Amino acid sequence: MTDIVAEKLEEVAAREALLDLIMPARFEKSSERIREGRLPADGLSFVAHGPDGRLAATVRLWNVTAGPGCPALLLGPLAVHPWFRSVGLGAEMMRVAIAEATRLGHGAILLVGDAPYYARFGFSSALTGQLWMPGAYERDRLLGLELKPGTLSGARGLISPTGARVELPSVAELVAGLDGLKRIA
C-alpha cells in the first residue's frame, strides 16, 4: 500500500491535474463554492503517491460552520487515480483524514457524496437534515459525521466557509515581479 502523507505546496499542481482527470466538472459543484478562495484546514490536506512517485490520491478538509455557531469541517474532494481504485486507497485516505481531524479536536465533518460509500465511515444524512448549502446539490448526498457526540445536534442553517482566505498578490506585486523578469531578460 502507498504511504499517505501531508500534502506539500509543490504538489498542488499535480493535485489539480488529478482532480481535472477525475472530476472535470468539480467547479460547478456547491461544495466548490464553499472552498473557493480559501485555504484547507491546517494539517488536514493529504496525498498518496504511487510506487513511481506520482500522485495517486488526494483529500482535503476545510473549515466551515454548520449553521451559526457550529464549527465543522467540509471534506473534499476525495480523488483516487483510476490505477489505484481497486486497492482500497480511497478508504485509507478517509480513515487517515478522519483520524487526524479527531486528533486535532474537530467536532464534525460534512461532505457531499455517495451515501452507501461513506456510510462505512459513519457518515449519515440524518445529521444534516436542517443544514443547506449554497447552490444546487442533492439533499440525500449531504452527509455528516460527528467526531464528538452531539456536535451537530441542533445544527441548522447555511454551511459557510470560515477558513483562512487565499492570499493573492496585489497588482503592484505582480507588476514588480514582471519588472524583475524584464531586468533578468
Side-chain angles (χ1 to χ4, degrees), residues 50-156:
D52 63 359
R54 285 187 282 180
L55 199 71
T58 178
V59 68
R60 287 177 166 179
L61 293 118
W62 309 79
N63 292 302
V64 296
T65 183
C70 185
L73 295 167
L74 179 68
L75 186 140
L78 168 65
V80 178
H81 192 282
W83 294 346
F84 297 93
R85 288 207 176 135
S86 63
V87 297
L89 185 53
E92 191 59 28
M93 296 290 288
M94 285 298 298
R95 284 190 278 279
V96 167
I98 292 167
E100 188 62 9
T102 301
R103 189 188 73 75
L104 292 173
H106 292 279
I109 300 174
L110 305 170
L111 62 81
V112 178
D114 184 40
Y117 178 82
Y118 291 104
R120 66 177 135 164
F121 307 107
F123 284 87
S124 167
S125 61
L127 299 170
T128 62
Q130 298 298 312
L131 297 171
W132 62 91
M133 297 180 61
Y137 66 98
E138 296 174 51
R139 162 113 327 270
D140 61 329
R141 293 174 55 85
L142 179 57
L143 310 174
L145 169 68
E146 290 182 326
L147 304 176
K148 294 179 183 175
T151 298
L152 294 174
S153 296
R156 177 184 175 93

Side-chain angles (χ1 to χ4, degrees), residues 12-27 29 54-58 77-85:
V12 171
R15 178 187 183 279
E16 289 301 310
L18 176 61
L19 293 175
D20 288 345
L21 174 69
I22 304 300
M23 303 172 178
R26 74 183 186 277
F27 293 110
K29 297 182 179 280
R54 285 187 282 180
L55 199 71
T58 178
L78 168 65
V80 178
H81 192 282
W83 294 346
F84 297 93
R85 288 207 176 135

